[in-house]
Amino acid sequence: MANFKLHAPFPPAGDQPQAIRKLKEGLRKGMHHQTLLGVTGSGKTFTMANVIAGFDKPTLVLAHNKTLAAQLAQEYREFFPENAVHYFVSYYDYYQPEAYIAHSDTYIEKEAMINAEIDRLRHAATQALLTRKDVIIVASVSAIYGLGSPAEYEKVHLKISVGGAGSRAELIRKLVGIYFERTNADLSPGQLRAVGNSLEFVPVNEHVMYRVSFDGETIAHIDQLDPVSRAKVAEPESVFVFPARHFVTSEEERARALEDIKLELEEQLARFKREEKPLEAERLKRRTLHDIALIRELGYTNGIENYSRHFDGRKPGQPPFTLLSYFPHAKDGSPDFLTVIDESHVTVPQIGGMYAGDRSRKDNLVEYGFRLPSARDNRPLTFEEFEERIGQVVYTSATPGAYEQAHAEQVVEQIIRPTGLVDPELTVRPVVETGNYPGQIADFVHEAEQTITRGGRALATTLTKQMTEDLSAFLRARGLKAEYLHSDVKTIDRIDILTNFRKGAFDILVGVNLLREGLDLPEVELVGILDADKEGFLRSETSLIQTIGRAARNVSGRVLLYADVMTGSLERAISETNRRRALQLAYNKKHGITPRTIKKEIRDIAASMRSEHQKTIDELLILDALAYKDDPKAFIKRKREEMSEAVERLDFETAALIRDEIYKLEGTGPKKKSRARKALSGI
C-alpha cells in the first residue's frame, strides 16, 4: 500500500501533467539531479506533491527562510492531511553567536532566545522520522547543523504501558534520566510532576498531557488529557516517550567525553606554551575547567555544543549528526529519501556558504584561547557533505542557478499556469523627475492609489532598509495604509504582516528583498521596482524576474520598472518575461482559456509557531486595546496593580501574562520593539 495519500482539490492542469510525468520518470530512472523550472504561480508545490505521492518515500523539502518554510508546510499539510508533515527550523527567536574580534580585542558572549513552540515542532519532526514512513519535513538550512545522534536519541525512549511493572518513583527516575524536569507548577513540554498516586507529564513533541496512575508496583491506568481544561481525551494502552533533548549522552559516555576534553586541553595548553602565549593558555584553562565542573555536576554548561564532538565520539574533522541523519538509509548506507530544494537559486548558495562563515568565527575563538580546537567540529555540513547525505533531488525555481543548470540531468519547464494567468505586463519609467514627470516615488504613489481604488494591493521594492521605513512612513503620511518588511522584522511578525496584507488590513507592502519571504499574494495587482537600473544582487536578472513574478498571480497584474539606464540584467529579465508571456498567450488563445486570478484561502501560518503564553498575551492586547487608547498612563498603572495583586495571591502565571502585556504596550522588556503600539495606533 502507498504510504502517502494525496488529497488533490483539483486535477493537474496547464504544464503540470507533463511536468509530473517527466519528474516521476526521472526518479524511476535513478536521476540524482532534476530541475523544475516553474514560473511563479504555476503550482510548483502541487506538482511536487504529486511527485512525492508517486515516489512514496520520506521527503525533505528545503527552503531558504523560516517564512517560506512555514508557508510550504501549511500547503503540504493541506495536500497530505492523513500523513505526517512537519516543520523544522532554527528554534532561536534571537541568536548572537559567540565571537572574538581581534583588532579591537572584543569578546562577544553567545546570546540566544529559544522559541519553545518551535523546539516542540523540531522534536515532533525527528520523532516522526524515527517512527513513520509517510513523513514530509519542511526545513530551513537548520537541517545541516548539528543535532545529536539519532541512534542515541532513539535508544533511550520509554514505552509506558498499562499493566507494566514499575512504581511512580521508578518512572520519575526514568523520565528525569531522559532530561524531563520536575515541577510543582503548571506543566510545560518536557516537564513532569507527581500528583497523589499519579504522575503527570507533557511530552516535548505534542500539546497533550498524560496522567499515569499506579496500583502498587504496577501501572494501572493511562489518561490522555487536554493540558488546559484537563478534560480526558483518550485512554491509550501505551505511550512512547522520547528524550526532552536531542543531544543524549549516557553516564558512561559523559565520563569518557570529559576525559577526552581534559586530554585535548592539555595538548592545547602545551601548544600555547610552545608558542609563548600565556594569556591565551590561562584563558582557555579557566574556561574549560569551569565547563568541565558544570557538566560533571549539572550535566550542562552554556556553550556545551562546542564539546559535541567528544560527546558524540566523533573524530576530528568528522561531520556532525544533523536532521539528514534521521532520514532512512538503505542497507548500503545510501540515502533512501527524496529531497526537494525550493527556490533553489537562493537555497543552494545559502547551504554552500554556511560552513565558511562558521569556520572563520571558530578559528578566531580557538587561536585566542576562548575555545578548544574541537569547537570547530560543532559546525554545519560542508556543501560536499550535504551532497553526500541527500537522496535524489529535485530543484524548483523560476530562475534556476548555475549549480542546478550544471548538474541537472533533466530540466522540466512549467510555463503554462493552470489558471491561464500570463506573466505581467512590464512598463519601464524614469527614476529622476523630468519636466512634467514627477519621479519614481510620486509616480508609484499615483499608480498605487489608483490600484487601491479598484480594490487591489501593491508592492514596492527598495534597495535599503532605511528607504523601506521612510517610504512606508511617507505613504502613511499621505493617508495610505502601508507596512514594511526587512530582515530586522522578526519571523512571526513577518508572517503576521503578510497575513494582514492578504486580509486587507493595509494596502501597500514595502520591502528590500521581498523574494526572501516566499510571497504568495494573489491580491497584488501592482509591483513597483524602484531603482531597477542599480546593477547588483537585488537588481540582477534573477532577482528582477522573481520580483516581476510577484504580480503573476493576479489577472490584472502589472509591473513598473523604474530605470534611467537599460542594464544587461534589465534587458535579459524583460526578454525572458516577454518570452514566457508570448507562450502563455498563445496557449490561452489555442485552448480558448480566459485567465482568472488565483483564489487562495488566507491562513495564519504563524499560529503553529506561537506559544500558548504568547497567544494569551495577543488576546489580552485585543481586549484591552480601547482602554489603553483612552488613557495609556492610567491603564498601565492599573495593570501594574493587577500584577502586584496576582503576585500576592501567588498566581505567578497571571502575573507573568500581565507583565508581558505591559512589556508589549511600553516597548520595553525582552522584546525591544512593540508591535502592539503600532497596532493600537490605528484604533
Side-chain angles (χ1 to χ4, degrees), residues 251 254-263 288-301 304 307 311:
E251 290 292 337
R254 184 188 303 173
R256 178 200 53 74
L258 291 178
E259 290 303 314
D260 288 348
I261 294 170
K262 283 184 187 177
L263 181 60
T288 309
L289 292 179
H290 176 261
D291 286 348
I292 289 172
L294 285 176
I295 294 170
R296 181 177 288 115
E297 295 300 321
L298 305 177
Y300 179 81
T301 184
I304 192 171
Y307 305 106
F311 288 102

Side-chain angles (χ1 to χ4, degrees), residues 566-635:
M566 287 299 292
T567 64
S569 292
L570 257 177
E571 289 179 346
R572 290 189 296 274
I574 292 171
S575 174
E576 175 61 13
T577 301
N578 288 337
R579 178 187 78 87
R580 296 176 180 182
R581 182 178 168 85
L583 290 172
Q584 294 154 354
L585 288 169
Y587 182 90
N588 288 351
K589 183 177 180 180
K590 180 180 178 181
H591 295 86
I593 295 173
T594 301
R596 62 186 188 277
T597 298
I598 292 173
K599 300 295 182 184
K600 191 175 183 66
E601 186 179 351
I602 301 172
R603 294 180 179 271
D604 183 4
I605 58 177
S608 64
M609 297 166 64
R610 287 194 189 86
S611 65
E612 291 300 319
H613 181 81
Q614 184 58 51
K615 291 173 187 174
T616 304
I617 294 168
D618 290 344
E619 289 168 3
L620 288 173
L621 288 168
I622 293 170
L623 292 171
D624 293 337
L626 290 174
Y628 175 82
K629 185 69 175 178
D630 289 341
D631 191 342
K633 288 185 179 179
F635 180 85

Side-chain angles (χ1 to χ4, degrees), residues 14 75 80 88 179 229 231 250 447 459 495 533 559 567 612 620:
E75 291 178 356
F80 297 102
F88 188 98
Y179 307 108
S229 67
S250 66
E447 294 288 347
L459 297 179
I495 298 171
D533 56 356
V559 177
T567 64
E612 291 300 319
L620 288 173

Side-chain angles (χ1 to χ4, degrees), residues 99-107 268 271-272 275 277-285 360-372 376:
Y100 178 68
I101 303 171
H103 69 81
S104 60
D105 190 26
T106 304
Y107 173 69
Q268 188 69 353
R271 179 199 152 195
F272 280 147
E275 296 176 356
K277 293 182 176 180
L279 175 63
E280 287 81 356
E282 179 61 23
R283 180 186 286 153
L284 183 65
K285 181 179 179 181
S360 174
R361 180 173 58 82
K362 295 283 178 54
D363 282 345
N364 252 15
L365 290 168
V366 170
E367 290 306 311
Y368 289 93
F370 290 96
R371 288 292 172 192
L372 290 171
R376 295 188 179 107

Side-chain angles (χ1 to χ4, degrees), residues 44 67 87 122 126 247 273 299 332 420 439 517 627:
K44 294 189 289 293
T67 311
Y87 178 67
R122 286 164 62 95
T126 52
F247 292 91
K273 185 176 180 180
D332 62 1
E517 307 304 335

Side-chain angles (χ1 to χ4, degrees), residues 321-341:
F321 297 106
T322 66
L323 176 67
L324 303 179
S325 309
Y326 287 72
F327 277 86
H329 291 72
K331 291 182 179 179
D332 62 1
S334 61
D336 192 26
F337 61 95
L338 175 64
T339 302
V340 179
I341 302 184

